[in-house]
Amino acid sequence: MTVRTRLLSLFAAGVLLGAGPALAAQSDPPAVQTPQAPSAPESAPEPAAVAHTLDAADLAAWLDGQVPYSLESGDIAGMAISVVKDGKVLLQKGYGLADVEAKVPMDPATTLLRPGSTSKLFTWTAVMQLVQQGRIDLDRNVNDYLDFRIEEAFGKPVTMRHLMNHRAGFEEGLKDLLGYDPALAQSTEQYLKGHPRPMLFAPGAVPGYSNYGVALAGYIVQRVSGMPFETYVERHIFAPLGMRHSTFVQPLPANFPGRLSKGYRTTDAPPSPFEIVITAPAGSVTTTAADMARFMLAHLQQGSLEGYQMLDAATTARMHSPSVDGLPGFGTMAHGFFRLTHNGRTLLGHGGDTVVYHTDMNLLPDEGVGIYFTYNGLGKDGAVYGARKELMDGFMRRYFPAAAGTAPPPALASAVEDAQRIAGRYQSSRRVENGFLRFFYLLQQTVITANPDGTIEVPDGLGGVDTMRAVGPQLWRAVDGARMVALKEVDGVRTVIDSENPVAVLQQDSFANSAPLNVSILLLSFLVLAGTLAAWPLGALLRRADRATSGATPAQRRPRTVQRVAAAVALAYMAAWFMLITPVLSTDLAVYHSGIDWIVGLLQASGLLAIGAAAAGLWATWRLWRGDASRLRRSWAILVALALLGVVWLGIVGELITWNLNY
C-alpha cells in the first residue's frame, strides 16, 4: 500500500476509522470558450442486463461461488452476511473461520463481529428518536445541549444537522482514538473535552467525515436522555428489536451471549486484541449478522418490527430523505445514512472499518431489500477493500442491474480545456492540518491527470484509476462506469466533488505542500547529510591507508567539524520522527495515546536543535567560503547547508516543529 492508501484505509475506518449551503448552489468556475475538441468514437449503448430473481436458493448459490474464493485469494479469515427482503430474512450465512487456530466456523446467528462505522447508524437512529419526541432540534446550536462549548471560529454555530451531514467543519484526529487496554481507555465525555478538534471550515460549508462529530452527537443523546449512551441504545433499539447479541459496551460484558470472532490482518498473523474505540458512538458496536438483519427490517418497514415502533413512519421517511442538497446524480447524506444511486436504484447505507473488521450495509428502500456483511480480516495488501466492493457491486449487477445504456453525449467543445482546468494535485477535506500527522500530506496527494483527448484520469481509492470524459460543463463521468466528478469553486478554492463520496471533497493543494517538492527535499536532504557523515570515517580510513593527510588547514577543520555534527543532529532528528510515524504505516493506532505526550513533546522541542543545526551549517559554509577551502569543499558546504535548511522546512510545513499535542 502507498502512504496515501494506508491513510485512507485508516480514515475510512469507523475508529480513526445534514443542512449547509447546497453543493448545487456553489459557484462554478467561469466558462472558457475553446475550439472544438476532436470527438472520441462513441460506444454503442449497452443492452440491459437480465436480472436474476432474488431468492434464497439463487443468492446462496451465487455467494457460494463468490465468497470462498475472495477469502482464500485475499487471505481473509471469514465473513458473515445477512440479506432481508419483503419484511423477512432471506438469507443468513457464515463463511470461513471466526477463530483460525481453533477452526471455529463463522456463524451468522452467534458469531460476534465489530462493524466499525456502521455503528453510527444506531447513533443517528437514537438522535432521530429524540427528534421525534421534540427533545432535539436538528438546527439548534449543539452548545445548548452540552456542558462544554464547541468553538464558533467562523462565527457560525454547529448544529446536529451539521454533525449528521459531516459538515461541522472539524479537522480529523488520531490521538487516543483506539486502544487495547481498558485501564487506559477514556470515556466519550473525557475524549470530547480533552481532544477538541480544530475547525478547518465554517459549519455547513465543506464536508469532512468526522468521528469526533458523531461522538459528540452520541454524547448529546446521553445528555438529553439522562442515561449513558450505551444504556439508551440498549433500551430503545437493541432490546426492543430483539438484538440480543448487540452492544456498545467495551470490553464485552461478562457472559455476553455469543462468541466473539477474532480479528486478523492475515490468516497467518496472530489475532488482534479487542479493539477499544474511544469515540464509542462512532464505531464501537459488537453485533451479529442476524441482529443486523433485524435492524435493517425495522428501517425498511417504516421504523417498525414485530410490534415495536423504533421510529414512527413520518420520522423514518424523514431520516431516509436527503438532509443536504447535492448535485443531480451525486451521492448525498440522509440524516446519517449515505444516500447513493446504484444502477438507477436508491441505496441507503454505511460502511465501516476497524483495523481488522470491515463491513458494508445497504438498504434498497424501494425494493424492500437490505444486505449486511462483515469480514474479520484485512487481508493481504488490504484485499478486503476490493472484496467488499466487488461483493456489493456483484450483488447489484446480478439482482438489480442497470437499465439499457444510452449513447454518451458528444464530446464537449471545451473538453481539452476543461481537462487542463481540473488537472492538478488535491488534498482531501478530511485531513489532519495541525499536528505531526500533517507530515504525511506532504508526501502524497490525489493527482488528477489530463489526457490529450480531453479525458481525465482520477484515482479510484483502491490503487487504480478511472478514465472519465466530459459530459457537461465542469462535469465528468467514468467511461466504463457511473462514477462522476464535478469541479467547483468553494470559498475561492478549486474543489472536486465525487459522486460516490458525500463526506469529503478534494481541494487544490498549494505548491509548498506538493509531494514532488517535499519528497525531493526529503530524499536529497537525507542523501547529502548521510553522505557527509559517511565521508568522515571513510575519508579517514582511506587517508590512513595511504598515509596521507586531509589537506585541511586549521582554519578549515573547525567549520568542517561543526558541519558534520550539524548533519548528525539533523539525521538523528529525522530518524526519531520516522520511528514515531512508522506505526501509522502498519495501522498500529494504539501507539498514539496521551501516555506518549512526553515523547511527542520532546521531539517537537528537538526542532530547536534542527534549527540550530541549520544555523551551524550556514555558519560553517560562511567560514569555508571566507577561508582557503577548495572549490569542491565550498560547493559541498552549500549543499549541506541547503540540506539542513530542507530538514527545517519539512519540520515547519509538516507540523513537526510545533507545540501541538492534539493530533
Side-chain angles (χ1 to χ4, degrees):
M1 278 188 166
T2 64
V3 171
R4 179 177 175 273
T5 303
R6 182 74 69 178
L7 277 175
L8 287 175
S9 71
L10 295 179
F11 289 152
V15 300
L16 291 168
L17 246 342
L23 293 179
Q26 295 165 353
S27 58
D28 290 319
V32 178
Q33 298 297 324
T34 59
Q36 176 72 40
S39 297
E42 294 184 2
S43 57
E46 293 186 5
V50 177
H52 289 248
T53 300
L54 178 57
D55 58 37
D58 189 90
L59 179 59
W62 178 72
L63 289 171
D64 289 349
Q66 296 287 320
V67 177
Y69 172 77
S70 69
L71 295 181
E72 183 177 358
S73 62
D75 202 9
I76 303 166
M79 185 268 269
I81 184 171
S82 59
V83 178
V84 299
K85 179 184 179 185
D86 298 333
K88 297 179 181 179
V89 176
L90 183 67
L91 175 141
Q92 293 176 174
K93 197 163 186 180
Y95 292 90
L97 299 173
D99 185 326
V100 172
E101 184 177 9
K103 300 190 182 305
V104 176
M106 192 73 76
D107 186 328
T110 61
T111 300
L112 303 172
L113 294 156
R114 312 289 307 286
S117 276
T118 308
S119 307
K120 290 176 171 67
L121 295 178
F122 296 105
T123 300
W124 299 131
T125 299
V127 167
M128 293 305 292
Q129 287 179 334
L130 296 172
V131 169
Q132 177 180 304
Q133 297 168 24
R135 302 171 70 183
I136 289 179
D137 183 337
L138 294 183
D139 298 308
R140 187 174 177 181
N141 189 334
V142 295
N143 284 324
D144 294 341
Y145 302 105
L146 298 171
D147 56 348
F148 67 102
R149 291 194 63 78
I150 299 298
E151 67 171 325
E152 298 180 11
F154 293 86
K156 296 181 178 180
V158 173
T159 68
M160 182 63 76
R161 195 184 300 270
H162 292 144
L163 299 181
M164 300 185 99
N165 292 334
H166 294 280
R167 287 174 176 260
F170 295 127
E171 176 182 315
E172 186 58 271
L174 190 61
K175 178 182 175 182
D176 285 325
L177 208 54
L178 180 142
Y180 301 121
D181 186 352
L184 299 178
Q186 301 177 35
S187 68
T188 299
E189 178 181 358
Q190 290 171 324
Y191 176 83
L192 291 171
K193 293 178 177 178
H195 301 72
R197 301 313 304 144
M199 301 290 287
L200 284 185
F201 313 109
V206 176
Y209 191 84
S210 174
N211 289 297
Y212 184 90
V214 183
L216 192 65
Y219 184 58
I220 290 173
V221 169
Q222 176 172 307
R223 295 269 302 163
V224 171
S225 68
M227 64 183 73
F229 172 78
E230 296 83 358
T231 303
Y232 178 90
V233 176
E234 168 65 25
R235 292 183 183 177
H236 295 275
I237 300 177
F238 293 153
L241 289 182
M243 299 175 66
R244 297 191 310 108
H245 297 85
S246 301
T247 183
F248 268 95
V249 176
Q250 305 175 102
L252 291 179
N255 302 317
F256 192 75
R259 177 167 179 166
L260 180 66
S261 167
K262 294 183 177 179
Y264 302 87
R265 292 177 182 269
T266 58
T267 55
D268 58 355
S272 168
F274 186 90
E275 299 166 314
I276 298 176
V277 182
I278 306 305
T279 52
S284 72
V285 160
T286 301
T287 189
T288 64
D291 272 14
M292 291 301 295
R294 300 186 69 80
F295 183 63
M296 290 191 292
L297 286 171
H299 268 285
L300 288 168
Q301 298 179 128
Q302 298 183 311
S304 176
L305 181 66
E306 296 175 358
Y308 176 63
Q309 197 73 42
M310 181 179 68
L311 296 169
D312 64 33
T315 304
T316 303
R318 182 183 184 188
M319 186 175 184
H320 294 175
S321 66
S323 48
V324 63
D325 292 335
L327 296 171
F330 279 61
T332 187
M333 295 303 295
H335 300 87
F337 280 97
F338 285 54
R339 196 174 197 273
L340 305 170
T341 300
H342 196 150
N343 291 354
R345 270 81 171 185
T346 296
L347 261 64
L348 293 170
H350 209 299
D353 307 79
T354 70
V355 174
V356 290
Y357 299 98
H358 305 273
T359 299
D360 209 356
M361 187 193 107
N362 285 292
L363 308 177
L364 288 84
D366 297 333
E367 287 76 18
V369 170
I371 177 172
Y372 167 90
F373 50 90
T374 296
Y375 296 87
N376 66 346
L378 177 63
K380 178 176 57 182
D381 298 325
V384 72
Y385 299 111
R388 180 171 63 181
K389 184 177 188 302
E390 179 53 35
L391 180 60
M392 189 62 209
D393 287 349
F395 178 82
M396 293 299 295
R397 283 195 303 268
R398 185 173 184 85
Y399 300 110
F400 304 100
T406 58
L412 298 184
S414 60
V416 173
E417 187 73 23
D418 289 349
Q420 293 295 330
R421 180 179 292 276
I422 196 175
R425 292 183 171 273
Y426 295 85
Q427 61 179 340
S428 174
S429 58
R430 185 188 185 189
R431 63 180 184 268
V432 176
E433 191 80 9
N434 297 280
F436 68 87
L437 289 178
R438 171 161 174 71
F439 182 77
F440 282 109
Y441 296 90
L442 303 181
L443 304 183
Q444 281 197 351
Q445 296 91 35
T446 297
V447 180
I448 296 178
T449 306
N451 297 322
D453 64 355
T455 60
I456 60 174
E457 306 284 339
V458 183
D460 64 5
L462 293 174
V465 296
D466 285 327
T467 300
M468 296 188 165
R469 66 191 302 273
V471 294
Q474 308 302 326
L475 180 67
W476 292 261
R477 184 185 179 101
V479 170
D480 57 355
R483 182 188 178 198
M484 295 185 289
V485 297
L487 181 64
K488 298 286 181 180
E489 195 87 10
V490 181
D491 294 335
V493 178
R494 188 170 294 179
T495 300
V496 175
I497 304 167
D498 191 326
S499 66
E500 297 181 351
N501 187 1
V503 294
V505 294
L506 296 174
Q507 298 178 305
Q508 188 175 38
D509 216 349
S510 66
F511 175 73
N513 293 332
S514 69
L517 172 66
N518 289 293
V519 170
S520 297
I521 291 174
L522 176 64
L523 293 178
L524 291 175
S525 295
F526 174 78
L527 291 174
V528 170
L529 297 176
T532 298
L533 285 189
W536 194 356
L538 182 61
L541 289 173
L542 292 175
R543 289 192 299 272
R544 185 174 182 179
D546 293 339
R547 298 181 180 181
T549 64
S550 67
T553 64
Q556 295 176 20
R557 288 176 188 151
R558 185 180 178 190
R560 291 181 66 193
T561 299
V562 168
Q563 186 183 67
R564 290 161 176 164
V565 170
V569 168
L571 284 173
Y573 175 76
M574 295 171 71
W577 274 115
F578 178 78
M579 287 189 289
L580 182 63
I581 291 173
T582 297
V584 173
L585 301 179
S586 56
T587 60
D588 292 328
L589 307 184
V591 168
Y592 303 104
H593 57 83
S594 298
I596 67 166
D597 278 356
W598 68 274
I599 298 176
V600 177
L602 189 62
L603 284 177
Q604 291 173 340
S606 69
L608 296 175
L609 294 177
I611 294 172
L618 290 171
W619 175 85
T621 301
W622 174 68
R623 288 295 302 270
L624 288 171
W625 271 80
R626 286 192 61 192
D628 56 354
S630 67
R631 181 177 299 176
L632 177 61
R633 284 176 177 167
R634 290 180 178 183
S635 299
W636 187 255
I638 292 175
L639 288 177
V640 173
L642 290 174
L644 292 168
L645 289 172
V647 173
V648 174
W649 165 268
L650 293 172
I652 293 174
V653 299
E655 289 282 321
L656 305 180
I657 301 177
T658 180
W659 306 114
N660 177 27
L661 293 174
N662 187 14
Y663 53 87

